[in-house]
């Protein structure tokens, strides 16, 4: 990223490029190696493979939403440092997205068919909360990442015990989501009202329940 001021058209094109890269392109080159790179494939039975693929599809859908949220927040961020922090997190989220997609393919399945829906919904929520101001935008990120960490912990409980490749990816993601949340708090996140947190949990549940199957 250069230091040049981006015009509204530049931002629009960059946003459209990111949306296409996230929902329409296969996982390409990642900035960092897949955490499962040195781990041997385990001998999973059919139902274990299908369950692991369902959970990784949910995680992939979450990463599609994370891309959209961070892009939505970054587009309307007022403070340049906060915008850069969000772009940095979005770059890590892109690696998560690609690692999940690679794992789903290894398990013989495909990502959620509803990726465009997850992206559009999360982008709108990200931009809308960002318009309220950076401290609310950061508050939204801190709460999202807190909920994502809890969700990833539940997947570490739910993944087949022998599926070390999926586990390595989910563990790395969980550590980085925690860091994203801590960074948002350090940057001045406001604590969201209880009903908003509840609504976020409801929306996340709807997405995760659907993406496991579709
Ligand atoms: Fe992530
Ligand atoms: Fe994150």
């Amino acid at each position: 990223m250069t230091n040049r001021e981006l015009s509204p058209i530049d931002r629009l094109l960059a946003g459209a490029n990111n949306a296409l890269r996230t929902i329409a392109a296969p996982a390409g080159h990642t900035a960092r190696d897949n955490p499962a790179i040195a781990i041997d494939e385990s001998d999973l039975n059919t139902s274990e493979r299908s369950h692991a693929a369902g959970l990784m599809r949910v995680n992939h859908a979450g990463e599609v939403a994370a891309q959209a949220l961070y892009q939505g927040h970054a587009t309307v961020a007022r403070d340049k440092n906060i915008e850069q922090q969000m772009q940095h997190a979005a770059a890590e989220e892109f690696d998560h997205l690609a690692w999940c997609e690679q794992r789903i393919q290894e398990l013989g399945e495909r990502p959620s068919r509803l990726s465009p829906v997850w992206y559009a919904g999360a982008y709108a929520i990200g931009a809308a909360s960002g318009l309220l101001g950076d401290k609310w935008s950061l508050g939204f990120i801190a709460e999202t990442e807190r909920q994502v960490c809890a969700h990833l912990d539940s997947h570490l409980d739910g993944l087949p015990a022998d599926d070390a490749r999926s586990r390595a990816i989910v563990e790395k993601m969980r550590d980085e989501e925690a860091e994203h949340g801590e960074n948002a708090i350090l940057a001045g996140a406001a604590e969201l009202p209880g009903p908003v947190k509840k609504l976020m949990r409801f929306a996340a549940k709807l997405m995760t329940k659907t993406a496991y199957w579709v």
Side-chain angles (χ1 to χ4, degrees):
M1 184 70 62
T2 68
N3 290 328
R4 183 172 70 88
E5 259 324 283
L6 293 179
S7 71
I9 294 289
D10 289 335
R11 283 167 180 272
L12 198 69
L13 290 174
N17 180 49
N18 188 273
L20 284 173
R21 188 174 79 136
T22 303
I23 60 180
H29 178 74
T30 53
R32 297 166 301 156
D33 281 341
N34 188 314
I37 196 166
I39 300 174
D40 289 335
E41 186 59 84
S42 35
D43 195 12
L44 303 173
N45 64 35
T46 307
S47 73
E48 285 173 333
R49 283 180 82 81
S50 160
H51 181 53
L55 294 182
M56 294 310 283
R57 184 161 43 244
V58 168
N59 293 332
H60 181 271
E63 296 300 334
V64 168
Q67 274 305 307
L69 269 180
Y70 276 108
Q71 293 298 334
H73 284 298
T75 304
V76 295
R78 290 153 171 86
D79 183 309
K80 284 283 150 211
N81 291 329
I82 291 175
E83 182 186 343
Q84 273 172 11
Q85 182 180 328
M86 289 176 180
Q87 296 289 6
H88 174 75
E92 292 191 343
E93 306 288 11
F94 187 77
D95 285 349
H96 300 175
L97 177 86
W99 298 336
C100 287
E101 186 176 334
Q102 287 158 7
R103 187 60 189 145
I104 294 167
Q105 283 169 357
E106 287 170 7
L107 291 163
E109 296 204 17
R110 49 167 292 169
S112 172
R113 290 177 176 79
L114 298 175
S115 289
V117 177
W118 312 137
Y119 193 97
Y123 186 91
I125 293 170
S129 72
L131 286 172
L132 297 173
D134 287 347
K135 73 172 186 168
W136 294 109
S137 187
L138 291 164
F140 192 85
I141 287 173
E143 178 59 22
T144 301
E145 298 286 15
R146 195 179 300 135
Q147 292 187 16
V148 170
C149 283
H151 159 85
L152 293 175
D153 278 334
S154 78
H155 275 200
L156 287 171
D157 287 339
L159 277 166
D162 291 341
D163 187 359
R165 287 181 70 85
S166 297
R167 287 178 174 279
I169 294 169
V170 173
E171 278 167 8
K172 177 75 175 164
M173 282 163 52
R174 194 249 339 256
D175 292 349
E176 292 189 349
E177 313 306 8
E179 207 176 303
H180 297 159
E182 281 157 24
N183 289 342
I185 291 168
L186 287 174
E191 185 75 20
L192 299 186
V196 175
K197 292 182 188 176
K198 215 170 168 180
L199 197 67
M200 288 165 70
R201 269 196 292 275
F202 174 76
K205 205 168 185 175
L206 193 70
M207 187 186 81
T208 55
K209 294 279 175 217
T210 311
Y212 182 85
W213 301 106
V214 190

